Amino acid sequence: MKNINILAIESSCDETSASIISNGKILNNIVATQSVHEKYGGVVPELASRAHQQHLIPVIHEAISTAGIAREDLSAVAFTRGPGLMGSLMVGVSFAKSFAYSLGIPLIDVNHMQAHILAHFIDEPKPSFPFICLTVSGGHTQLVLVKDYLEMEVIGETLDDAVGEAFDKTAKLLGLPYPGGPLVDKYAKEGNPQAYEFPLSEMPGLNYSFSGIKTAVLYFLRDRLKEDADFITRNMADICASVQFTLIKMLMQKLKRAAREHKVKEIAIAGGVSANSGLRAELNNLAGELGWKVYVPKFEYCTDNAAMIAMAAHYRYLKGEFCGLDVSPIAKMKL
Ligand code: KG4
Ligand code: ZN
């Protein structure tokens, strides 16, 4: 039987990535991170598109050459169609179209949020269906009931900011560089999570809201800094630990409710924030307490990467789900 070799491209935000999957096995995952945004304290869309244009061909070249295959061995080209930044998506989509056309092979469009979840099928242990996945990234916070590889239902999501944004905005208020999530995590390890209390936003059903905590941290710091100009430097670890504790508590409250209501004990987390050590620890505590089986992808498959796009593309290939050359990106693509 002919091998199924797929080239996958990810360019939805500020990571340019390419991966080759062969018969469902990931052969590599090449990622070029864009450092150009650091000095602006956030991703600048126009700069992201330009950096994708510079990085894309070298990254794809490396993926194909290190996989030990020739272009002619490719069965399909896959790309992230959305959600993401329009200009960034456009670079990946345009390249994928012309490359597939020149090789005379099919194109596969992939939903980035579905791919974050399918990253769980790259390595063992793999969750069994149905499972609930809490997808937590810089742009999204979703509770998803996963019924099959390509059958997913959003059962809860944030109505405003994503939890990654709450981490990054807190970090910015504390004077930490972008993206601040990993630094909040690092300081939090040394701090007391009960040192300060921040309000928990209560949303109906399984939905979330993370915009309130950003304002709460802003006012809290403004008041404390009036009394003590060194308040942040003196209490960095306690502030980070307390904010992180509140964010994790909000995430876990709805995750517990979702698991109970849907009678599911297979629980997964995905997306950049699933790298957070406090979140991982709390998930493991709950696993013991509630009899959950929990799944956390390897760090390199938590943040944006093309291996997860390749995994999703593999399942779409098996079902014959291809797209035409007239496909265009969708910035707000729904799951
Ligand atoms: O999935 P991702 O790489 O990109 C998006 O699709 O958004 O997620 C990036 C987000 C950023 O907000 C970043 O600060 C956050 O994930 N993040 C973390 C940690 N590592 C990455 N947040 C908290 N703790 C971490 N260890
Ligand atoms: Zn992502």
Side-chain angles (χ1 to χ4, degrees):
M1 211 177 74
K2 197 173 165 286
N3 286 328
I4 308 171
N5 297 323
I6 304 171
L7 163 70
I9 299 166
E10 155 64 28
S11 73
S12 66
C13 190
D14 59 344
E15 243 92 38
T16 317
S17 181
S19 169
I20 303 284
I21 186 166
S22 182
N23 300 322
K25 188 172 177 298
I26 296 293
L27 299 187
N28 54 28
N29 180 39
I30 315 297
V31 185
T33 303
Q34 305 178 357
S35 52
V36 59
H37 309 288
E38 269 164 31
K39 62 173 180 279
Y40 300 101
V43 177
V44 183
E46 181 53 31
L47 295 181
S49 317
R50 291 185 204 184
H52 282 305
Q53 283 181 320
Q54 286 168 348
H55 293 159
L56 195 59
I57 290 177
V59 161
I60 290 173
H61 182 74
E62 191 179 339
I64 296 177
S65 54
T66 60
I69 58 165
R71 290 175 192 189
E72 293 67 33
D73 298 328
L74 289 172
S75 324
V77 179
F79 61 92
T80 304
R81 187 176 184 189
L85 300 170
M86 190 43 109
S88 294
L89 292 167
M90 201 86 87
V91 177
V93 176
S94 311
F95 182 90
K97 280 190 202 183
S98 28
F99 200 46
Y101 181 65
S102 71
L103 293 170
I105 54 177
L107 261 182
I108 304 175
D109 57 323
V110 171
N111 182 308
H112 182 89
M113 301 313 291
Q114 194 171 65
H116 265 303
I117 295 173
L118 293 173
H120 285 282
F121 295 93
I122 296 176
D123 290 321
E124 297 294 336
K126 295 172 179 154
S128 30
F129 301 113
F131 66 95
I132 288 176
C133 185
L134 172 65
T135 313
V136 277
S137 73
H140 296 270
T141 305
Q142 291 184 329
L143 279 166
V144 182
L145 181 62
V146 187
K147 299 167 189 169
D148 205 340
Y149 296 110
L150 301 175
E151 206 189 326
M152 305 183 181
E153 184 192 342
V154 179
I155 52 174
E157 62 190 328
T158 182
L159 301 179
D160 43 52
D161 289 356
V163 66
E165 253 176 295
F167 269 102
D168 294 339
K169 286 177 177 170
T170 297
K172 200 170 180 179
L173 293 171
L174 294 171
L176 300 172
Y178 179 86
L183 290 166
V184 172
D185 185 6
K186 181 175 148 252
Y187 284 109
K189 283 185 191 141
E190 318 278 305
N192 171 11
Q194 319 278 358
Y196 309 107
E197 201 174 319
F198 295 102
L200 295 164
S201 307
E202 291 290 343
M203 283 291 126
L206 295 173
N207 289 329
Y208 291 108
S209 164
F210 291 104
S211 64
I213 187 149
K214 169 190 68 191
T215 320
V217 174
L218 176 75
Y219 290 144
F220 166 79
L221 292 176
R222 190 194 58 186
D223 293 346
R224 297 298 174 113
L225 285 168
K226 268 190 216 150
E227 296 153 18
D228 173 7
D230 290 331
F231 179 75
I232 293 179
T233 23
R234 257 198 262 271
N235 301 286
M236 186 65 103
D238 283 350
I239 305 169
C240 289
S242 302
V243 174
Q244 180 170 301
F245 174 81
T246 313
L247 292 173
I248 294 173
K249 195 161 173 184
M250 285 198 257
L251 288 174
M252 291 302 138
Q253 271 178 352
K254 296 294 166 97
L255 178 59
K256 279 195 272 188
R257 181 166 167 180
R260 197 172 58 237
E261 286 179 0
H262 291 272
K263 300 186 175 55
V264 170
K265 284 183 188 281
E266 296 273 308
I267 307 290
I269 54 171
V273 183
S274 58
N276 184 272
S277 52
L279 179 62
R280 287 171 178 229
E282 185 54 21
L283 197 67
N284 285 325
N285 284 344
L286 287 175
E289 203 179 294
L290 300 169
W292 289 354
K293 264 181 95 175
V294 299
Y295 302 87
V296 184
K298 251 203 239 162
F299 181 74
E300 62 174 310
Y301 303 136
C302 284
T303 51
D304 288 349
N305 67 88
M308 67 184 196
I309 306 298
M311 203 66 241
H314 175 76
Y315 293 116
R316 289 183 70 101
Y317 186 98
L318 295 180
K319 288 192 103 182
E321 292 186 3
F322 304 114
C323 64
L325 285 168
D326 55 349
V327 67
S328 39
I330 306 173
K332 294 195 182 302
M333 194 173 185
K334 294 260 175 282
L335 189 66

